[in-house]
Amino acid sequence: MNHPIDDITDSEIRIIGADPNRYTSGSLTSPSPASDNGKDEGDNNKKDDKRTGWSPWLILLGIALIGAIIYAILALPPRADNTEQARMGMQPSNATQVDTTVTETVAPEPAVVPNVTMREDTINDITLVILTPEGCRPQLHVGNIDSNDSSIMLCAQAADLRGDNGDIVSAFVLKGEPLSRGVAKRGFCAIIDGTITLGMSEETPLYERVVESGGDFFRQYPLVHESQMQENKPKGKAIRKALCMIDGTICIIMSKDKESFHDFAQALQDYGVTEAITLTGSTAALFYRDKDSGLNVIHHPQSYYKKLNYIIFKK
């Protein structure tokens, strides 16, 4: 039964978008071989196969992309919370990050111009002359010494000599070589790598260290040890000289007038000296240089004994 396409009964089926001439009542007619612009149905199926053939590759590409994103997230360093960052001195995560990387440099300390300062002070009615070397290196010297040597900033005769043969009294080491032995005097001065140590002991490991390191060492009477004055047997009065440690600084102190060991040691203690040993007193050599007036000779060097020895402070 033929009737218009818009007039469909309950027993008929309508295919939307199809050519109405291709269908008969209640059934489909076979497509003509020349349908679809001359292309057969197999061509259409091939197109569908090609479209469905790319689907697995797209899925694999999506999986790879997701894996790359997850890997990138896991590779990021853990973020600390603001409290932990503050405790570690870091900026909070929401702060603007500033590149503070710098090359660490240390400004060189200004070189100290070698000099010797001299001052006078009075304690217990005793006038003291204090000579303090600055920027100088201490060492011992044996034999004649030239006060015109401009490299010597401060010089004082160090260890006493015996009156009978001119040998050095007690232990004496010069550049690691022992020249004299004995502990007749308990005070000592050890010089290792330009550093002076003063003390009082009949035995000290510093002696062996001086020998091993090529340093200097000598003994004299102790005057002050650990801020306490020390008594000594010699009596009488003379110009006294001492190698002292005061406020962590090495200096040479001389009495301007003749004093006893007792009075001189007491004055040193009261002046704040923490360690002190005697230097050869009276008119034994003592001279120094300062940057203003140059050479200042208090007592000229002598040359009557071969083993005359000195502690000197050089540029």
Side-chain angles (χ1 to χ4, degrees):
M1 179 179 182
N2 295 324
H3 46 71
I5 191 64
D6 293 329
D7 195 6
I8 301 173
T9 65
D10 293 335
S11 63
E12 295 178 330
I13 299 173
R14 180 180 179 180
I15 305 301
I16 299 174
D19 185 355
N21 296 323
R22 295 178 59 192
Y23 300 92
T24 59
S25 177
S27 63
L28 292 173
T29 62
S30 298
S32 64
S35 63
D36 292 333
N37 297 324
K39 296 182 180 179
D40 60 13
E41 192 171 305
D43 292 334
N44 292 333
N45 291 338
K46 289 180 180 179
K47 289 183 179 180
D48 293 338
D49 291 341
K50 290 181 180 179
R51 286 194 296 268
T52 57
W54 282 99
S55 297
W57 294 105
L58 292 174
I59 292 171
L60 291 176
L61 180 61
I63 292 173
L65 180 60
I66 293 172
I69 294 173
I70 293 173
Y71 177 82
I73 293 173
L74 294 177
L76 291 174
R79 295 173 58 188
D81 57 35
N82 290 351
T83 302
E84 180 68 15
Q85 289 173 332
R87 185 167 68 250
M88 298 300 293
M90 300 168 59
Q91 292 182 340
S93 59
N94 60 349
T96 301
Q97 298 296 318
V98 179
D99 184 9
T100 57
T101 302
V102 296
T103 301
E104 184 177 359
T105 59
V106 178
E109 295 183 1
V112 177
V113 177
N115 186 42
V116 177
T117 61
M118 188 278 287
R119 70 179 189 275
E120 291 187 7
D121 213 339
T122 301
I123 187 79
N124 302 342
D125 294 328
I126 295 176
T127 301
L128 302 176
V129 178
I130 301 101
L131 301 172
T132 305
E134 301 171 348
C136 303
R137 188 176 181 87
Q139 64 184 69
L140 296 183
H141 176 88
V142 175
N144 292 336
I145 197 161
D146 184 5
S147 60
N148 292 318
D149 182 350
S150 60
S151 68
I152 300 175
M153 301 301 297
L154 176 60
C155 172
Q157 192 170 326
D160 293 333
L161 301 179
R162 294 179 55 171
D164 55 350
N165 58 13
D167 286 342
I168 299 172
V169 179
S170 290
F172 191 100
V173 179
L174 179 67
K175 297 180 180 179
E177 181 183 353
L179 301 185
S180 179
R181 302 182 184 275
V183 290
K185 300 176 180 181
R186 296 181 301 154
F188 68 84
C189 166
I191 305 176
I192 301 175
D193 294 330
T195 299
I196 289 180
T197 301
L198 300 180
M200 182 183 74
S201 176
E202 291 185 359
E203 294 183 4
T204 172
L206 287 175
Y207 180 88
E208 285 74 19
R209 287 180 56 192
V210 163
V211 173
E212 293 172 356
S213 63
D216 299 328
F217 183 97
F218 74 97
R219 285 187 175 275
Q220 278 287 57
Y221 292 114
L223 293 173
V224 179
H225 178 56
E226 296 181 347
S227 299
Q228 298 298 315
M229 65 167 289
Q230 304 296 313
E231 294 288 356
N232 292 284
K233 293 180 180 180
K235 305 300 178 183
K237 291 186 176 185
I239 299 295
R240 302 297 179 185
K241 299 169 185 173
L243 182 62
C244 306
M245 178 76 72
I246 181 170
D247 295 331
T249 300
I250 288 291
C251 60
I252 291 177
I253 299 180
M254 180 189 74
S255 67
K256 199 167 186 177
D257 302 310
K258 293 182 179 181
E259 305 290 346
S260 66
F261 270 144
H262 175 88
D263 291 345
F264 186 53
Q266 185 66 63
L268 294 178
Q269 174 187 304
D270 294 345
Y271 194 66
V273 171
T274 54
E275 296 287 341
I277 63 173
T278 62
L279 296 174
T280 303
S282 188
T283 58
L286 179 61
F287 63 87
Y288 70 96
R289 283 179 170 79
D290 62 36
K291 58 186 178 183
D292 297 324
S293 59
L295 177 64
N296 298 274
V297 178
I298 297 175
H299 295 125
H300 287 277
Q302 305 293 328
S303 59
Y304 49 88
Y305 285 117
K306 291 182 178 180
K307 293 185 178 180
L308 280 170
N309 57 88
Y310 308 89
I311 181 168
I312 60 177
F313 295 81
K314 302 190 72 174
K315 292 181 179 178

